[in-house]
Amino acid sequence: MNWFIFTLLSTVIYGLINFMYKVAAIHKLSSHQILNRSATAVSVSSFVLILITQSEFSDVKQILFFAAINSTFFALGTISKISSLKNIPSSFAFPITKLNAAFLLIYALILFNEQPTIKQWLGITISFSILAYISVNINQEKVEQVDRKKQIIGVSLALLAAFSTSISMLTGKFASTEVPKLNYIFISYTCLLYTSPSPRDRTRSRMPSSA
């Protein structure tokens, strides 16, 4: 499969994940618990694949370095996104969280000196135009029903989620060329288990509660 198929597949998967985040927000579920269970699933899956492929833990220090950054910002981004959805409508929150694409574009231009082609610029312009259109044409009745303070909190959390997610993805970009991918994923999501409470630890949390 070429890069386009992988990109399309990841878009569909992220759409399903965002849908589950919205369901979790509607039911007022703990963002820490959602993060914990997601991290457990990915950690176990990646460990099984490591055993099957016999991927070696080479350059452990570098893996830990990338994993620490990724797990921190992924956790922050996930918790912020779910918390944002608890404060403002998804039609308002998701276009804002999608601004992570804007941050990534800036990183690519500055850090990797990438020069998009005219067709790529056209695609980028169309994508951001769609996001802008969605943001402008949000159902105002739904937004007006939300308390002003909750709107500010929700928008701030959505922006934080966009920034945090972009840093997590940028870290993955560097890690993909420097360390074994499966090992990096395994360590990253295992680290997440130490930043969210275990299923039996509902009263004590090692991170500030956002639920």
Side-chain angles (χ1 to χ4, degrees):
M1 293 191 294
N2 59 26
W3 66 268
F4 180 77
I5 300 298
F6 282 117
T7 302
L8 186 62
L9 181 60
S10 64
T11 300
V12 173
I13 293 174
Y14 270 113
L16 292 173
I17 292 173
N18 283 328
F19 172 74
M20 288 187 288
Y21 285 166
K22 177 57 181 177
V23 172
I26 290 175
H27 291 281
K28 304 296 182 181
L29 301 180
S30 169
S31 54
H32 292 97
Q33 295 295 329
I34 298 298
L35 179 63
N36 182 281
R37 284 162 173 74
S38 300
T40 301
V42 177
S43 181
V44 171
S45 299
S46 57
F47 182 68
V48 171
L49 289 174
I50 288 174
L51 293 178
I52 294 174
T53 61
Q54 297 183 341
S55 179
E56 296 183 0
F57 282 90
S58 57
D59 202 350
V60 176
K61 288 184 178 180
Q62 196 165 21
I63 293 177
L64 289 173
F65 172 73
F66 286 124
I69 298 175
N70 177 63
S71 59
T72 299
F73 283 98
F74 181 83
L76 184 59
T78 300
I79 292 173
S80 297
K81 181 181 290 186
I82 297 175
S83 299
S84 172
L85 290 168
K86 292 178 180 179
N87 287 277
I88 56 178
S90 57
S91 57
F92 198 19
F94 284 137
I96 298 174
T97 60
K98 288 300 180 182
L99 287 175
N100 60 1
F103 290 121
L104 287 170
L105 177 59
I106 294 172
Y107 302 152
L109 293 173
I110 296 176
L111 299 177
F112 304 109
N113 196 31
E114 293 186 3
Q115 299 297 326
T117 64
I118 294 178
K119 289 184 178 180
Q120 289 173 326
W121 275 119
L122 180 61
I124 292 169
T125 302
I126 292 174
S127 298
F128 283 111
S129 297
I130 292 173
L131 289 177
Y133 176 81
I134 293 173
S135 300
V136 172
N137 290 274
I138 291 171
N139 189 329
Q140 292 299 321
E141 291 183 2
K142 288 185 177 180
V143 176
E144 290 172 0
Q145 291 174 2
V146 180
D147 179 78
R148 182 63 179 174
K149 183 178 180 181
K150 292 189 70 176
Q151 284 187 38
I152 295 174
I153 293 174
V155 170
S156 299
L157 288 169
L159 287 170
L160 179 59
F163 172 73
S164 300
T165 303
S166 70
I167 296 296
S168 174
M169 296 175 73
L170 177 65
T171 304
K173 166 69 174 177
F174 280 110
S176 66
T177 60
E178 299 294 331
V179 297
K181 298 180 183 65
L182 286 175
N183 307 67
Y184 160 72
I185 294 172
F186 170 70
I187 296 297
S188 291
Y189 284 86
T190 300
C191 287
L192 283 174
L193 298 177
Y194 289 93
T195 62
S196 57
S198 66
R200 291 178 295 180
D201 185 11
R202 297 179 182 275
T203 58
R204 294 176 301 169
S205 172
R206 281 157 282 184
M207 291 181 67
S209 176
S210 60

